[in-house]
Amino acid sequence: MKTAIKINKTSRNVLLKFIEKNTLEQLNTIPEGYSNNLIWNIGHIIVVQQLLTYKLSGLPMLISNETVEKYKKGSRPEVPVTQLELEELKSLLFSTLEKTEIDIDAAVFNTYEEFTTMTGFHCQSAKDAIIFNNFHEGIHIGIMMQIQKLV
């Protein structure tokens, strides 16, 4: 699992660079032909990691239900993200991952509600979810790279 977490940290550092290299306006811009923006993708990545890893393990998530609703699959940006919300998402990028690493070491992921992703990958354990999550984040980073060209 150390490698999976190391990959995830790399992914999160890529996401941080999107935050640092763009203005709040750019992060909130939804380009023509797209249904979301850079900051929605970041929020979505945080939410999916929590749902796949914690919720399906029957553990409390490290994010609010409001955050889940705002960034879950099928949601869209309804209003621009504020600077305060941006700072919260920026913090969650790493705090959620740090807590996951601690919880892996503490062996808290004992049960899991199996889940098949939209791509057809079947997660049978939190370990599967953590590994799959890296693939999911990679997909969204690719989308963000396309959006970046248009904002």
Side-chain angles (χ1 to χ4, degrees), residues 102-116:
I102 290 166
D103 288 345
I104 289 167
D105 291 342
V108 302
F109 299 106
N110 298 313
T111 62
Y112 195 78
E113 182 182 329
E114 294 186 21
F115 176 77
T116 301

Side-chain angles (χ1 to χ4, degrees), residues 4-69:
I5 293 296
K6 187 175 177 181
I7 293 167
N8 207 180
K9 286 179 182 177
T10 301
S11 171
R12 298 298 173 98
N13 279 307
V14 169
L15 295 170
L16 179 61
K17 287 179 185 170
F18 278 100
I19 292 172
E20 292 173 343
K21 291 183 178 183
N22 288 280
T23 65
L24 187 58
E25 182 180 345
Q26 289 171 310
L27 291 167
N28 278 301
T29 298
I30 303 172
E32 188 176 331
Y34 287 80
S35 59
N36 53 51
N37 54 32
L38 293 171
I39 197 61
W40 181 91
N41 278 278
I42 291 170
H44 176 72
I45 284 168
I46 293 166
V47 165
V48 168
Q49 185 268 345
Q50 288 291 291
L51 291 171
L52 285 173
T53 307
Y54 284 86
K55 184 170 183 165
L56 291 175
S57 293
L59 298 169
M61 292 188 293
L62 309 172
I63 57 174
S64 69
N65 289 333
E66 179 185 23
T67 301
V68 172
E69 288 302 311

